[in-house]
């Protein structure tokens, strides 16, 4: 059995990692949408890491993201932790304004 080690964008954004996860499955945004039942515009927003546009619906967003990651065989813990880290940075920026 052969293993392939795939390096994710460890220093990049979650959006970069989500795009890479989708692309590694060989899917376009529309194909990923059909497979996961997530509308294409939401996938585009995720891949831009535009978390501020979701307002306060973060628990719902988190569950949707984890379902999306699971559909492509991604490591849920990695993506969940990265999502929470990016939210914390976003919230810290808001509080310093």
């Amino acid at each position: 059995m052969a293993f392939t080690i795939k390096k994710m964008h460890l220093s990049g954004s979650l959006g970069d990692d989500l795009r890479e996860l989708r692309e590694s499955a060989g899917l376009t945004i529309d194909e990923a949408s059909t497979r996961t039942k997530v509308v294409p515009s939401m996938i585009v927003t995720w891949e831009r890491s535009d978390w501020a546009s979701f307002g306060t619906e973060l628990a719902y967003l988190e569950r949707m993201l984890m379902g999306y990651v699971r559909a492509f065989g991604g490591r849920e813990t990695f993506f969940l932790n990265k999502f929470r880290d990016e939210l914390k940075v976003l919230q810290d920026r808001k509080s310093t304004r």
Side-chain angles (χ1 to χ4, degrees), residues 30-68:
D30 288 332
E31 291 167 335
S33 173
T34 300
R35 183 174 186 180
T36 63
K37 308 296 187 242
V38 175
V39 295
S41 61
M42 180 147 325
I43 295 171
V44 168
T45 302
W46 292 350
E47 290 185 359
R48 281 196 229 131
S49 291
D50 185 10
W51 312 121
S53 67
F54 292 99
T56 59
E57 300 297 322
L58 300 177
Y60 176 69
L61 175 60
E62 188 175 285
R63 287 191 304 275
M64 285 185 65
L65 275 168
M66 291 308 96
Y68 184 82

Side-chain angles (χ1 to χ4, degrees), residues 2-7:
F3 292 93
T4 301
I5 297 175
K6 183 151 182 21
K7 192 182 257 187

